[in-house]
């Protein structure tokens, strides 16, 4: 039974054709059917096979459309890269795998400084070309297990799987160097964090270049008042696993924060 079910799932049209041949043989050999009745039964069978074929074709087309819509909903139309939704889904799967196997990975965030000047000076078409080129450079310089996505505007992300903090920082700086070689006048701001157990970053938090956030880090607030409520981390800051930095405190350049709480 299992073998037959597997065969039908693998090639339903072949199974329908086989079944049709068996029915045709049964009709031809049936002693109670005259020639006219045999012809009528065969015509009904042919009609049923035609309807079955059309239904299978419609199912295949519907499946293709569903797959296309799924892909379009997770693809950035300008660069062809995965979009924010695709990144979040991929990151969730990696987080679950990391929790099961004790693995780690690194999330690198890029944005293009002074990108508005490019649009204002050379026009939106030139800006689009820059975004496509940045996407191509990032995608060409990651591994097959990694993912590059465009988050929106001039923001990109690289999700580096099976990567520890030291290797992640090295690879992030390498990607940054590739971009700077291509766009010498511009600087690509970069923030980096370990995603192994999740990182919480408040909406008004500011993160400088080459910042490392280990798993379980929280950059939170202490109130719901308007304005700046979350921390500012200057360039080169490293925040250790499980550390909580609360409120609009400023962590100076190259500072190291261990497990504990810093707040104002």
């Amino acid at each position: 039974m299992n073998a037959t079910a597997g065969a039908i799932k693998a090639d339903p049209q072949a199974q329908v054709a086989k079944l049709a041949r068996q029915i045709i043989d049964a009709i031809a050999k049936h002693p109670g059917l005259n020639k006219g009745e045999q012809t009528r039964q065969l015509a009904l069978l042919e009609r049923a096979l035609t309807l079955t074929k059309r239904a299978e074709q419609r199912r295949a087309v519907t499946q293709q459309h569903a797959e296309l819509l799924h892909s379009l909903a997770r693809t950035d139309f300008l660069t062809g890269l995965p979009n924010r939704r695709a990144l979040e889904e991929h990151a969730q799967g990696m987080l679950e795998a990391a929790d099961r196997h004790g693995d780690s990975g690194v999330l690198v965030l890029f944005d293009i400084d002074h990108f508005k000047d490019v649009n204002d000076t050379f026009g939106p078409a030139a800006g689009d070309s820059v975004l496509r080129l940045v996407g191509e450079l990032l995608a060409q310089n990651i591994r097959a297990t990694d993912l590059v996505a465009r988050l929106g505007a001039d923001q990109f992300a690289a999700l580096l799987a099976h990567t520890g903090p030291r290797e992640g920082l090295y690879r992030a700086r390498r990607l940054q160097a590739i971009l700077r070689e291509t766009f010498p006048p511009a600087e690509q701001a970069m923030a980096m964090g370990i995603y192994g157990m999740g990182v919480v970053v408040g909406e008004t938090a500011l993160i400088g270049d080459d910042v490392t956030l280990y798993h379980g880090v929280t950059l939170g607030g202490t109130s719901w008042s308007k304005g700046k409520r979350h921390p500012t981390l200057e360039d080169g800051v490293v925040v250790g696993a499980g550390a909580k930095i609360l409120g609009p405190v400023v962590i100076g350049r190259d500072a190291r924060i261990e497990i504990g709480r810093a707040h104002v």
Side-chain angles (χ1 to χ4, degrees), residues 99-213:
D99 287 341
R100 287 195 303 269
H101 306 297
D103 201 359
S104 65
V106 173
L107 176 65
V108 187
L109 304 178
F110 296 91
D111 67 71
I112 307 172
D113 289 349
H114 314 299
F115 180 70
K116 185 177 183 297
D117 295 341
V118 175
N119 278 332
D120 292 344
T121 304
F122 302 103
D128 289 349
S129 296
V130 169
L131 292 174
R132 282 192 288 265
L133 180 56
V134 169
E136 290 174 5
L137 289 170
L138 292 175
Q140 291 169 0
N141 288 279
I142 61 170
R143 303 168 302 186
T145 54
D146 301 331
L147 181 78
V148 166
R150 182 186 176 210
L151 303 181
D154 63 343
Q155 297 179 335
F156 294 82
L159 192 55
L160 311 180
H162 314 303
T163 303
R166 292 182 181 275
E167 181 189 358
L169 183 58
Y170 168 78
R171 293 183 58 205
R173 286 175 172 168
R174 180 173 175 272
L175 289 172
Q176 189 180 38
I178 291 171
L179 294 179
R180 283 179 170 164
E181 289 173 1
T182 307
F183 306 101
E187 293 186 358
Q188 290 71 38
M190 178 179 65
M192 185 179 72
I194 299 300
Y195 64 73
M197 293 295 289
V199 172
V200 177
V201 178
E203 60 182 345
T204 65
L206 297 177
I207 302 177
D209 291 352
D210 298 337
V211 170
T212 302
L213 306 178

Side-chain angles (χ1 to χ4, degrees), residues 50 69 89 129 261:
T50 300
L69 289 174
E89 291 179 353
S129 296
R261 303 170 67 90

Side-chain angles (χ1 to χ4, degrees), residues 201-206 219-224 227-233 245-250:
V201 178
E203 60 182 345
T204 65
L206 297 177
L219 306 182
T222 56
S223 73
W224 292 99
K228 188 75 166 64
R229 307 188 307 277
H230 302 96
T232 295
L233 276 58
I245 306 176
L246 307 178
V249 62
V250 177

